[in-house]
Amino acid sequence: GSRCMALAEKHRRIYGISYPRNRFFIYDIDTHETRMIGRIGNVNPQCIWLDVDENAYTTDDYGRILKFDAETEKLDYIGATLPCAEFRNGYHNTVYDVTPSPDGKGVYGVTWSWGSRLFYFDFETHGFKYDELFARVGDKQAKCMELKIDLFIDDDGTVYLYYVRLNNGNKIYVAKMKDDLQMLVFSATIPQALQPFLKKYLQNPQMVQIEKI
C-alpha cells in the first residue's frame, strides 16, 4: 500500500511512497505504468508535497528533506533537515502534514515526533521558520513544544489525564479526572473493553444517527 501520494497534474503522474518497504515511486496516468525510483529508508513518511514546477519533496528516516526533480528524475537530499527536539538525534522526525503557502513559495507543515512543531519551508532557500508558539522564528536551537497529552481509562472505568513535559527533562505526570467528568464520545462500534467506562460516565448516553452523505 501507500500512506501518501501527490498528484502532478501537468506531468500527468502520481508520486507515492510504498508501505512498508518505503520505496519512492511514480505512477504514469496515461500509460498506467509504475516506476520504482528507490528506497528512502525504514520510517514511512506521512506526506509528499509539490512546488510550482511539480518537483516532489518528502523526508527520510532522520527528517532530511528529499527532492525528486521532475525534469531530471533524480531523487536527492537537498541539504535541509526538519527541526527536532534538542534531546533527539532526528530519527523518526518525519512530516505529518503540509499545506501550500498562499503565495506558492513554500509550505506550512507539522512534524510527527516527540517535540512536534509547526514550520514553514521555503522552496527557494530551503530554509525553515518555526511557529512563534513553539520557538523564535529562525532559531535553529529552538526548544520543542512542552506538552504531549493523552487520556487513558483504567480497568474500573476511571479516566486519567497523562502528559509529558519535554522541556528541562522528560517528566511524566498523571492526573485523575473528576467523577462528574463530561465527555463526548464518537464510535461506530463499542468495544467490550470500554464497558466499565460507559457504565461509569455514560449512564444516559444520547444516540445520534448520522445521515449518509
Side-chain angles (χ1 to χ4, degrees):
S2 177
R3 284 182 169 178
C4 56
M5 294 183 183
L7 173 64
E9 294 185 65
K10 291 182 294 185
H11 287 80
R12 300 284 297 167
R13 59 175 57 156
I14 296 173
Y15 300 114
I17 298 174
S18 67
Y19 178 83
R21 299 300 292 173
N22 226 33
R23 291 189 175 97
F24 190 97
F25 66 86
I26 302 173
Y27 175 76
D28 190 296
I29 296 175
D30 295 322
T31 66
H32 298 177
E33 294 179 346
T34 300
R35 286 186 292 142
M36 292 293 179
I37 303 302
R39 188 174 181 184
I40 63 174
N42 296 313
V43 181
N44 207 238
Q46 301 293 303
C47 65
I48 299 173
W49 64 98
L50 308 179
D51 60 21
V52 293
D53 296 319
E54 296 189 339
N55 300 307
Y57 299 79
T58 189
T59 54
D60 70 0
D61 293 355
Y62 286 87
R64 292 181 286 248
I65 305 296
L66 305 176
K67 175 183 176 181
F68 179 81
D69 191 294
E71 301 305 322
T72 65
E73 296 195 345
K74 290 184 178 180
L75 182 66
D76 291 309
Y77 169 55
I78 63 175
T81 303
L82 286 175
C84 69
E86 293 178 356
F87 57 85
R88 302 190 68 237
N89 64 1
Y91 185 69
H92 213 291
N93 193 43
T94 61
V95 174
Y96 186 76
D97 204 358
V98 296
T99 187
S101 62
D103 59 10
K105 295 181 179 179
V107 293
Y108 292 94
V110 289
T111 59
W112 186 50
S113 66
W114 287 94
S116 301
R117 63 183 65 203
L118 175 68
F119 66 85
Y120 172 80
F121 173 70
D122 188 289
F123 285 128
E124 182 177 358
T125 66
H126 295 166
F128 289 96
K129 291 182 180 180
Y130 313 129
D131 188 285
E132 289 281 4
L133 292 175
F134 303 155
R136 294 177 180 272
V137 173
D139 180 8
K140 295 183 179 180
Q141 299 299 323
K143 295 186 180 298
C144 61
M145 186 169 62
E146 288 191 351
L147 299 179
K148 299 293 289 186
I149 304 174
D150 203 352
L151 291 173
F152 69 89
I153 305 170
D154 203 350
D155 292 339
D156 64 356
T158 303
V159 178
Y160 293 87
L161 176 69
Y162 164 93
Y163 63 98
V164 181
R165 293 187 64 91
L166 298 176
N167 288 349
N168 300 319
N170 190 4
K171 300 178 181 179
I172 300 175
Y173 298 84
V174 178
K176 180 180 178 181
M177 306 304 290
K178 295 180 178 180
D179 289 339
D180 60 351
L181 174 68
Q182 296 184 10
M183 298 182 66
L184 295 176
V185 178
F186 173 82
S187 179
T189 59
I190 305 297
Q192 186 65 29
L194 283 181
Q195 292 304 318
F197 163 76
L198 297 177
K199 291 178 180 178
K200 184 166 186 175
Y201 290 100
L202 301 178
Q203 291 91 347
N204 298 298
Q206 296 182 6
M207 306 299 292
V208 178
Q209 182 176 350
I210 300 176
E211 298 293 336
K212 294 182 178 180
I213 298 176

